[in-house]
Amino acid sequence: MEPVLEGRELRKVYPIKTPLGRLKGVVRAVDGVSFSLMPSEILGVVGESGCGKSTLARLILRLEEPDGGHLYFQGQDVYALEEKALVPFRRQVQIVFQDPFSSLNPRMKVSTMLTEPLLVHRLVESRAQAMERVVQLMERVGLSRGDLDKYPHEFSGGQRQRVGIARALILDPQVVVADEPTSSLDVFVQAQVLNLMLELMEERGFSYIFISHNLSLVGQVADRIMVLYLGRVLETGPARELVREPLHPYTRLLVDSVPVPDPERAHLHTLPPLGDVPSPLSPPSGCPFHPRCPRARGICMEEPPPLRDLGGGRRVACYLV
Ligand code: SF4
């Protein structure tokens, strides 16, 4: 089976300037990230804030121009396409943002927000037909026909994220990228929205890139997981195995950070103080994780370890694994 989406050595570098406009340094937000996404698969992308998750999402949607690498959608090189030729890609690859409030146009009624894309992409023959499809989808995401006349500020956070999901799905995409889609919601609403997204994925058969800082959450829904740190991939593998037996010291740190409800076992998950993530403006030499790694040694500070294939779909960038 061929991947529906494939990224090869994706790179994005941001120049950082002083207030007087002089170059102060660069941030390598995404630094040689490769991945593949199979049809109907959920790929989880995990990492702390500043690891490059959101930049990667924007590169995948071509909302940012890359500084290197290739992105293939159904075998076509997306970065080689002119803006006009991107239209079918933009229809097929959609995003659900973390903050539904800032991602929805505050001056647009939901009815316009959902019918316009259908008309622009000529997926319907009339406004009435567009409205029919919109009403069906609204009901499927748990909203009513009456909600179509509302503006974004008239909804609760959870309802707004349902509007965001409807907007992402109205064009029937093949890939949905969800960037921390539930992290701005309270726990009960989070579960409802997440379940809705999984049900819709099953019904419609799209593939899903689920981006989150929460390894425990991603471990529950993803087929495979990719762990990012300072713009690099440190580990990838089948979700269950990666969570049960993390190989990279950073993945182990993430697994051990998951709160344990059982007080008897809680001490097993108490982490030694490991310090903060280094500034992306002056990343460490060698392995990006070495300043926090309890197992670091000389070689770790010299060269970044390559991402080695260990078989069984597992790849790890660590000298000691
Ligand atoms: Fe730790 Fe070295 Fe492995 Fe990096 S390469 S994770 S510093 S042991």
Side-chain angles (χ1 to χ4, degrees), residues 248-250 287-291 293-297 300 305 317-320:
H248 195 283
Y250 177 59
C287 170
F289 187 58
H290 86 251
C293 181
R295 300 175 70 193
R297 51 202 62 200
C300 305
C318 173
Y319 286 118
L320 298 193

Side-chain angles (χ1 to χ4, degrees), residues 266-306:
H267 69 283
L268 297 173
H269 288 243
T270 306
L271 291 169
L274 291 176
D276 296 327
V277 183
S279 161
L281 240 183
S282 50
S285 60
C287 170
F289 187 58
H290 86 251
R292 301 168 85 194
C293 181
R295 300 175 70 193
R297 51 202 62 200
I299 189 173
C300 305
M301 289 147 219
E302 289 164 17
E303 284 289 318

